Amino acid sequence: MPIKYKRNESKVIARSKVLIDGLPNRYYSVFLWSDRAAMMAAFPNDIQEHDNTDAFCCHGLIVFGQPNNQGPVRIRTARRVGEIHFLTGKWDMEVVAHECFHATMHICEIMAVEPMRHIEMQEIAAYLHGEMVDKIYRWLWQVESKNNKKHPA
């Protein structure tokens, strides 16, 4: 019987779900950590090359189904499409936008949106990205304000 790894999230200040327009019942989990070492320890195999990072994005698994006879390959994902992690006091608009860009590209892959091919698809990606940045930035600001932390931006 396989052993399921349970990461230590005791240093997580807050977490939130950011729903994704265009993907019903799908979301990114967003975490705000109080401690860099704890954040890194929670991902021992995933982010070792970024051992001094203040934020990162990790994607969920995409399963490509067998193509049916009348259409493209079906794509299945878990409800949680991925995660974005931030370190308290170490984020600003640029950091949030950067991590959300990674998430947006992952969402585009799931939705089969190819922003580099068509201007209409660029619009889809741009709206997804803008909405995600807005939601996460406002959430981080609200959490940091409640915790009386000096906000970085």
Side-chain angles (χ1 to χ4, degrees):
M1 182 164 159
I3 298 172
K4 187 174 180 179
Y5 172 71
K6 177 84 170 129
R7 67 181 176 216
N8 181 354
E9 295 181 0
S10 63
K11 299 287 185 171
V12 171
I13 296 171
R15 73 190 86 220
S16 182
K17 292 180 182 178
V18 176
L19 297 175
I20 302 167
D21 281 350
L23 287 177
N25 300 318
R26 300 298 192 270
Y27 62 90
Y28 257 82
S29 291
V30 184
F31 296 81
L32 182 62
W33 292 80
S34 64
D35 180 81
R36 178 183 286 121
M39 182 173 75
M40 295 308 183
F43 298 90
N45 299 320
D46 297 329
I47 57 169
Q48 291 175 348
E49 69 275 8
H50 304 295
D51 60 351
N52 64 349
T53 191
D54 294 330
F56 66 93
C57 181
C58 52
H59 308 305
L61 180 66
I62 302 175
V63 179
F64 293 93
Q66 293 295 325
N68 57 27
N69 293 335
Q70 295 151 353
V73 173
R74 288 196 229 171
I75 300 174
R76 296 180 321 163
T77 64
R79 290 191 66 217
R80 183 178 64 204
V81 175
E83 298 177 355
I84 306 175
H85 298 262
F86 296 95
L87 185 60
T88 188
K90 297 292 187 177
W91 57 271
D92 58 16
M93 181 61 84
E94 183 179 338
V95 171
V96 172
H98 174 100
E99 297 307 329
C100 286
F101 181 78
H102 293 302
T104 300
M105 292 296 98
H106 182 64
I107 295 165
C108 285
E109 182 179 8
I110 293 168
M111 295 175 68
V113 170
E114 297 176 323
M116 299 310 291
R117 292 185 156 259
H118 307 286
I119 190 69
E120 295 85 13
M121 290 188 175
Q122 287 179 14
E123 288 298 313
I124 292 168
Y127 280 115
L128 280 168
H129 182 68
E131 184 176 317
M132 184 172 271
V133 170
D134 181 60
K135 286 179 181 177
I136 293 174
Y137 188 82
R138 288 175 189 269
W139 176 77
L140 287 166
W141 182 277
Q142 192 175 49
V143 171
E144 294 275 21
S145 296
K146 285 181 183 176
N147 288 318
N148 296 323
K149 297 280 185 181
K150 182 177 184 324
H151 188 271

